[in-house]
């Protein structure tokens, strides 16, 4: 029997795949538990429409991420901090601090988990951090820490 998987099943396939399984496995396990549905012409067309809509939405999100990346490239974020001699900071600047400053100063919301840093900033000066906005889209953001 040919079925369309509605959820990922370990050892069988991922959601949205059209696979061939034995009749008993489909009738007794997959379909009653809602893990799959029979691959009729209507169901296959519906799956294709859903995939097209998902792809279109993904392209829109990617375009928005590219636009935001272009905007981030032009920004130099200023973060004041307390520090001692030679520009060494008391404490450090983390991705959370950068995300908060970006939202406060530029009104741009970026999740702190998307900010990629080698480690916390412990020295005053200009540092470049990477902001991963989408799987293929990343932007360099300049962060200027002043004492």
């Amino acid at each position: 029997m040919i079925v369309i998987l509605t959820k990922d099943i370990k050892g069988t396939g991922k959601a949205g795949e059209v696979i061939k399984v034995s009749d008993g496995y489909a009738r007794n396990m997959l379909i009653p538990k809602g893990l799959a549905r029979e691959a009729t012409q209507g169901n296959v067309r519906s799956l294709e429409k859903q995939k097209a809509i998902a792809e279109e939405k993904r392209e829109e999100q990617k375009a928005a991420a590219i636009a935001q990346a272009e905007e981030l490239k032009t920004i130099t974020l200023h973060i004041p901090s307390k520090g001692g001699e030679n520009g060494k900071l008391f404490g450090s600047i983390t991705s959370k601090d950068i995300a908060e400053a970006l939202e406060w100063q530029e009104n741009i919301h970026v999740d702190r988990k998307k900010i990629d840093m080698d480690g916390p900033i412990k020295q005053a000066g200009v540092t470049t951090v990477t902001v991963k906005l989408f799987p293929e889209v990343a932007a360099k953001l300049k962060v200027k820490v002043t004492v």
Side-chain angles (χ1 to χ4, degrees):
M1 177 180 273
I2 299 174
V3 295
I4 300 171
L5 296 177
T6 56
K7 296 184 180 172
D8 293 349
I9 302 172
K10 188 175 181 179
T12 305
K14 296 196 179 266
E17 288 184 357
V18 179
I19 59 169
K20 184 174 183 174
V21 294
S22 68
D23 291 348
Y25 184 53
R27 286 194 190 112
N28 297 325
M29 169 74 172
L30 298 178
I31 295 172
K33 290 189 176 184
L35 301 174
R37 56 189 167 150
E38 194 172 347
T40 62
Q41 287 182 349
N43 286 343
V44 171
R45 275 193 300 252
S46 172
L47 176 68
E48 290 170 357
K49 284 181 185 178
Q50 288 174 354
K51 284 184 179 181
I53 291 170
E55 183 63 30
E56 189 176 305
K57 186 175 180 182
R58 186 179 188 290
E59 289 298 322
E60 288 175 4
Q61 290 173 343
K62 185 176 180 180
I66 290 171
Q68 190 175 27
E70 292 299 320
E71 185 179 355
L72 287 176
K73 288 178 184 176
T74 63
I75 295 173
T76 301
L77 198 61
H78 297 278
I79 300 178
S81 182
K82 294 182 181 179
E85 296 178 15
N86 302 324
K88 188 158 174 75
L89 301 179
F90 299 144
S92 61
I93 305 296
T94 63
S95 60
K96 180 181 177 187
D97 299 324
I98 293 171
E100 288 174 354
L102 190 60
E103 185 152 3
W104 186 71
Q105 291 177 17
E106 301 293 333
N107 201 20
I108 298 173
H109 177 72
V110 175
D111 186 20
R112 67 177 179 85
K113 295 174 186 170
K114 293 183 177 184
I115 298 174
D116 188 28
M117 300 173 59
D118 295 333
I121 301 171
K122 296 183 179 186
Q123 190 75 23
V126 178
T127 307
T128 303
V129 297
T130 304
V131 181
K132 296 181 180 177
L133 300 169
F134 207 71
E136 303 95 26
V137 180
K140 300 285 185 183
L141 175 67
K142 291 182 183 175
V143 179
K144 183 176 183 180
V145 180
T146 56
V147 179

